[in-house]
């Protein structure tokens, strides 16, 4: 099946959305350090993303805490386990990489968890921005630390983006 893609403007910059007719497999920060060029085999089509786009609007307005769009991320079994656990972090809360490693039953795997977190292909929806350093400091984020800080502030109701 050929993936569809579209780009949308958001309060945290331009986002590339990719997926199929009934699922989302990619949310990528286009205004970050590493913008993504869609594969030439993908078709440009916003129609499959109507629901996702509406959910993003609601999220950025502070009215949506959990996305309902079906997800289909590509990754290893370990990465998928980490990404599933990321989705269990409550809106507005943060945990450390070590805590995330403990939650997946592998407390010594905080570095591997960090790598899996950094490989998350569905930013924002799979909330990798909710993972912070053990000291409580913000650490790396694909969209940049400024965006991570904004997303956390939005979720803590300290910032309005729309």
């Amino acid at each position: 099946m050929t993936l569809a893609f579209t780009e949308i403007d958001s309060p945290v910059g331009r986002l590339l959305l990719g997926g199929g007719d009934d699922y989302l497999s990619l949310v990528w920060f286009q205004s970050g350090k590493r913008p993504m060029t869609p594969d030439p085999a993908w078709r440009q089509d916003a129609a499959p993303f109507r629901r996702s786009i509406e959910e993003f609007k609601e999220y950025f307005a502070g009215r949506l805490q959990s996305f309902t769009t079906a997800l289909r991320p590509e990754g290893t079994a370990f990465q998928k386990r980490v990404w599933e656990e990321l989705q269990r972090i409550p809106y507005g809360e943060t945990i450390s990489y070590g805590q995330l490693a403990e939650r997946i039953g592998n407390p010594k795997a905080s570095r591997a968890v960090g790598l899996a977190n950094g490989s998350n292909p569905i930013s924002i929806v799979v909330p990798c921005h909710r993972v912070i350093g053990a000291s409580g400091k913000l650490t790396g984020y694909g969209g940049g630390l400024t965006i991570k800080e904004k997303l956390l502030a939005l979720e803590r109701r300290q910032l309005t983006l729309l």
Side-chain angles (χ1 to χ4, degrees):
M1 173 188 263
T2 302
L3 286 181
F5 77 94
T6 194
E7 290 191 31
I8 62 170
D9 289 316
S10 84
V12 293
R14 196 140 178 89
L15 300 173
L16 173 69
L17 309 182
D21 290 335
D22 59 352
Y23 65 90
L24 189 62
S25 61
L26 179 72
V27 176
W28 197 263
F29 292 101
Q30 292 298 82
S31 54
K33 294 177 185 175
R34 301 174 305 164
M36 180 182 282
T37 301
D39 187 299
W42 297 358
R43 75 182 195 283
Q44 188 165 5
D45 184 0
F49 305 105
R50 283 188 191 115
R51 180 177 180 176
S52 298
I53 292 167
E54 285 305 312
E55 287 192 339
F56 273 111
K57 288 177 185 174
E58 291 295 305
Y59 173 81
F60 288 124
R63 295 187 294 263
L64 180 79
Q65 295 186 5
S66 181
F67 289 82
T68 61
T69 300
L71 305 177
R72 195 179 299 170
E74 296 283 328
T76 67
F78 180 80
Q79 288 172 326
K80 288 178 181 180
R81 175 70 183 104
V82 170
W83 301 335
E84 287 169 9
E85 196 59 41
L86 288 172
Q87 294 176 75
R88 292 184 180 93
I89 304 170
Y91 181 89
E93 295 184 19
T94 58
I95 66 171
S96 70
Y97 293 97
Q99 289 170 311
L100 185 55
E102 286 178 19
R103 287 186 181 190
I104 65 164
N106 199 342
K108 295 185 183 209
S110 58
R111 285 197 174 153
V113 161
L115 290 172
N117 197 54
S119 298
N120 172 21
I122 310 177
S123 296
I124 303 171
V125 180
V126 176
C128 52
H129 60 277
R130 296 180 189 156
V131 183
I132 59 174
S135 67
K137 291 187 178 183
L138 299 185
T139 57
Y141 188 62
L145 290 181
T146 302
I147 291 176
K148 184 172 188 167
E149 189 173 36
K150 283 182 180 181
L151 294 173
L152 291 173
L154 168 71
E155 292 184 8
R156 292 177 178 148
R157 306 221 187 285
Q158 299 168 333
L159 178 69
T160 303
L161 293 177
L162 288 182

